[in-house]
Amino acid sequence: QAVVTQEPSFSVSPGGTVTITCGLSSGSVSTNNYPSWYQQTPGQAPRTLIDSTNTRSSGVPDRFSGSILGNKAALTITGAQADDESDYYCVLHMGSGISVFGGGTKLTVL
Amino acid sequence: EVQLVQSGAEVKKPGDSLKISCKASGYFFTSYWIAWVRQMPGKGLEWMGIVYPGDSDTRYSPAFQGQVTISADKSISTAYLQWSSLKASDTAMYYCARRPGNNWFDPWGQGTLVTVSS
């Protein structure tokens, strides 16, 4: 089974910009993998941020954006705020209805 | 409002069987896939599999194939995740989530904590 890779951790200053990526251990991520992104804070269920590469879910601030950068999917937070400190996960569609989550990225805002 | 409400926390012994549930409301249950996701203590999310309640079609991650059974009862708008023989390593939070599109999951249930300990 393919492995979906993410940076284990990132740190960003308040007001700064950070890009978290989502790659494949072998091959490139494309829109055909329909990458989606989730935010999870401790003790809470995940919250959907982005679906189908770049569509923001209802109520998600526009400082969150999704894209394909090179051979990876990317989640960019522009103007990070303290309450963006969370774990972030991507998930990729691998065909035949099967999806795989990335390992998650722990974002610190300080 | 689309909502998924999961059954309560469970404490079981190794070798026990278990079936947890995810009750859907606010939409046509038979029209959308339901996924199950595992989160072991302090770890990341793992996609386990999905079920299409309309015809009970199921797909499993290779890592979970044969380890769990995913099903749905459309008469009561409820999806299930079950084990025939639990192991300590099954201790985790389990989430269900609707799949409205090709590869995104929303909303999510509140999670069911399963603890397996002798």
Side-chain angles (χ1 to χ4, degrees), chain B residues 27 31-35 50-53 57-59 97-100:
Chain B
Y27 72 98
S31 298
Y32 297 90
W33 295 83
I34 292 278
I50 51 173
V51 59
Y52 189 73
D57 187 7
T58 54
R59 313 288 170 87
R98 187 183 71 156
R99 197 186 83 172

Side-chain angles (χ1 to χ4, degrees), chain A residues 20-23 29 35 37 53 67-69 71-75 90 92:
Chain A
I20 298 168
T21 67
C22 176
V29 176
W37 291 91
T53 305
S67 64
I68 298 290
L69 286 180
N71 62 351
K72 296 182 179 183
L75 173 71
C90 68
L92 300 179

Side-chain angles (χ1 to χ4, degrees), chain B residues 42-74:
Chain B
K43 301 298 185 182
L45 303 175
E46 299 175 90
W47 192 92
M48 301 175 71
I50 51 173
V51 59
Y52 189 73
D55 61 6
S56 294
D57 187 7
T58 54
R59 313 288 170 87
Y60 293 92
S61 162
F64 292 95
Q65 179 84 47
Q67 307 304 308
V68 297
T69 301
I70 293 170
S71 61
D73 184 340
K74 59 187 177 184

